[in-house]
Amino acid sequence: MTPIRTILVDDHAVVREGLRLVLGQHADISVVGEAADESEAIELAERVRPDVVIMDIALGPRDGVAGIEAIIARVPQVRVLVLTMFHDAETLRQCLLAGAAGFVVKGANSSDLVEAIRAISRGERYIHSSVVGLVVDDSLRWLRDGAGLSRREREVLSLLGGGRTPARIGEALGISVHTVRRHLTNTAAKVGVRGSLGLASYARDHGLARASEPVRSAPHEGPSRP
């Protein structure tokens, strides 16, 4: 059996080291590289052409969701598995829209991570059980409250609702602050709300906000042995 070739993308070396130890116990999974930020991840994925990229989306000031899109654009056959502390509905939805094939929360059992890698390498999708209900809830919310917005308008609104300023939104998405303000103006007209404060409240009230900090779940037991 040919091992599933994976690369690890996380800005914490200790996390990457832990993942290597966990995945090294499985003969059908091989870690072929590591990256600490989006640029390194894109270069590495292009160079080694892995089967699966396991990546966090909190990689410094840039929004990691854009990194998912960039990697898939350069290496279309790759499957991206998001492994993150964020587990709000909007983050999950944007990761899936960006092309992620799987979503696992940090703190999940190691057996769940291994199952996710195997599933997406077979061409399936994998959503961790702790957040799968959010997919249904968020789909209904999107149909009710966000269907009239473009994808970029939705991204900008969600980051504003999560507490980022227009300047920080522009930095995160790689666009100018003037473009951010234009999207906010268009969004305000579509949803019938005035001003950035009103838009931020709208995003939070309608479940459209991206968390600005990881959502901490209740402590649970350490990883189980697969």
Side-chain angles (χ1 to χ4, degrees):
M1 179 184 298
T2 303
I4 302 165
R5 301 172 70 253
T6 67
I7 63 174
L8 310 176
V9 184
D10 197 290
D11 57 352
H12 293 95
V14 68
V15 172
R16 300 195 305 271
E17 181 180 353
L19 290 172
R20 270 191 178 273
L21 290 173
V22 168
L23 300 181
Q25 301 174 34
H26 302 273
D28 62 331
I29 300 174
S30 174
V31 177
V32 295
E34 298 181 13
D37 59 38
E38 180 183 316
S39 297
E40 287 183 11
I42 294 169
E43 186 278 329
L44 181 62
E46 281 191 293
R47 179 161 47 85
V48 306
R49 301 279 165 168
D51 302 307
V52 173
V53 174
I54 303 170
M55 66 179 294
D56 196 353
I57 56 168
L59 299 171
R62 289 296 301 271
D63 182 38
V65 174
I68 299 172
E69 294 181 304
I71 290 172
I72 294 173
R74 304 289 184 88
V75 191
Q77 74 275 16
V78 77
R79 306 283 283 173
V80 175
L81 173 63
V82 174
L83 178 64
T84 184
M85 284 296 296
F86 291 94
H87 53 88
D88 59 287
E90 184 63 14
T91 298
L92 171 59
R93 184 181 185 280
Q94 288 193 17
C95 287
L96 296 178
L97 278 175
F103 191 100
V104 176
V105 296
K106 286 182 176 177
N109 289 333
S110 59
S111 57
D112 294 333
L113 176 62
V114 170
E115 180 184 351
I117 294 168
R118 290 170 177 162
I120 68 171
S121 72
R122 295 192 298 264
E124 303 171 10
R125 289 188 178 273
Y126 184 98
I127 307 297
H128 191 253
S129 59
S130 66
V131 294
V132 70
L134 297 178
V135 177
V136 176
D137 293 341
D138 190 57
S139 295
L140 293 173
R141 240 188 332 260
W142 167 252
L143 291 171
R144 184 180 65 244
D145 303 313
L149 304 179
S150 71
R151 182 173 173 184
R152 181 62 92 187
E153 289 167 349
R154 175 84 179 225
E155 289 175 336
V156 170
L157 177 63
S158 70
L159 291 172
L160 182 74
R164 298 201 194 196
T165 64
R168 289 187 62 206
I169 293 170
E171 183 181 18
L173 298 178
I175 58 179
S176 73
V177 68
H178 303 291
T179 300
V180 171
R181 295 189 192 282
R182 186 172 68 249
H183 285 308
L184 291 174
T185 298
N186 293 340
T187 301
K190 288 182 178 181
V191 302
V193 173
R194 297 184 63 181
S196 294
L197 290 177
L199 282 172
S201 295
Y202 179 92
R204 291 190 292 269
D205 292 344
H206 291 78
L208 305 177
R210 285 270 304 276
S212 58
E213 296 294 338
V215 178
R216 304 293 179 179
S217 55
H220 56 98
E221 298 176 1
S224 64
R225 292 184 178 274

